[in-house]
Amino acid sequence: MKTLIRPAFSLFICFTLLTGVAYPLALTGLAQLFFPSQASGSVLLRDAKPVGSSLIGQDFTTGPRAPSYFWSRPSATSPVPYTPFNAGSLTGSSGSNLAPTNPALLENVKARIDALTAADKAAGYERPVFPTSAIPVDLVTSSASGLDPHISVAAAEYQLPRVAKARHITDAKLRELVQAHTRVRQLGILGEPAINVLELNLDLDSRFPIPATE
């Protein structure tokens, strides 16, 4: 019996040290050496303080300054969006799982349209009348993960006049900033052009601060 236990125990210790200690430490060390930002969570800093990750969206729809920012895609983990575990509603990174025929989905969309309209009004921007179908879908529907850090170019363009009005700058100047933050398709064919909202808003605060009167 001892002759059977000893090699099994030795292999257990050996592979535990190899796969549980040496391998993770080696990968962590290589990642920190060659990809330090990604290995640390792609954290974004402002005034040397972490303000978020470029991989996880944030909520910009609340507070008196909300009209002055570009909004991320809605999250189904609200009212505390973009958290790894939302104890209040027992949801994590997830979608709403509401079917297209579910009345609750339509109610959510209407509420988000009302929020966009209210933000326009708060910024003093009068949007030309057009059908609600022209509102980009990623501004009124949540994603499967609930953590999307990007919005489409159309979603940024829809919000651009409101943000420009709130910041007291021209649409042209703001459009240049949006274009600078637009990520093109990978390899020219994969995915769609998109904009990281947190990165855009941080740059927005740096270049065009919110007027002091607000």
Side-chain angles (χ1 to χ4, degrees):
M1 180 63 69
K2 291 183 178 181
T3 58
L4 294 177
I5 294 178
R6 179 174 294 178
F9 184 74
S10 299
L11 286 174
F12 171 75
I13 296 298
C14 178
F15 279 102
T16 297
L17 293 175
L18 180 64
T19 62
V21 179
Y23 180 70
L25 286 177
L27 281 187
T28 301
L30 290 173
Q32 289 289 348
L33 179 62
F34 293 106
F35 310 101
S37 176
Q38 294 88 333
S40 299
S42 300
V43 175
L44 299 178
L45 304 176
R46 181 167 63 183
D47 299 329
K49 296 181 180 179
V51 294
S53 169
S54 63
L55 303 177
I56 300 177
Q58 292 191 20
D59 179 28
F60 292 95
T61 64
T62 57
R65 296 188 173 187
S68 303
Y69 289 100
F70 287 91
W71 293 4
S72 302
R73 186 168 186 178
S75 174
T77 60
S78 295
V80 187
Y82 310 119
T83 55
F85 179 73
N86 183 355
S89 59
L90 300 179
T91 60
S93 57
S94 63
S96 65
N97 296 327
L98 297 176
T101 56
N102 193 320
L105 179 61
L106 182 59
E107 292 176 3
N108 289 344
V109 170
K110 288 181 177 178
R112 290 159 183 162
I113 292 175
D114 290 342
L116 290 168
T117 303
D120 287 343
K121 183 178 180 180
Y125 173 65
E126 294 185 10
R127 188 174 297 276
V129 178
F130 61 91
T132 55
S133 59
I135 300 177
V137 68
D138 52 329
L139 284 181
V140 294
T141 58
S142 59
S143 67
S145 69
L147 306 176
D148 282 7
H150 299 93
I151 56 174
S152 66
V153 175
E157 185 66 28
Y158 178 87
Q159 300 180 77
L160 189 148
R162 181 199 77 223
V163 177
K165 182 74 173 180
R167 299 264 176 172
H168 300 172
I169 58 177
T170 64
D171 288 7
K173 284 186 177 181
L174 186 53
R175 186 168 286 108
E176 290 179 359
L177 185 64
V178 170
Q179 291 174 347
H181 282 271
T182 300
R183 299 183 180 182
V184 298
R185 292 181 175 91
Q186 296 181 1
L187 303 178
I189 57 173
L190 301 177
E192 293 292 333
I195 299 164
N196 188 292
V197 179
L198 178 57
E199 292 178 354
L200 174 59
N201 282 336
L202 289 174
D203 202 6
L204 184 62
D205 275 343
S206 176
R207 299 193 186 192
F208 307 107
I210 298 174
T213 55
E214 299 183 15

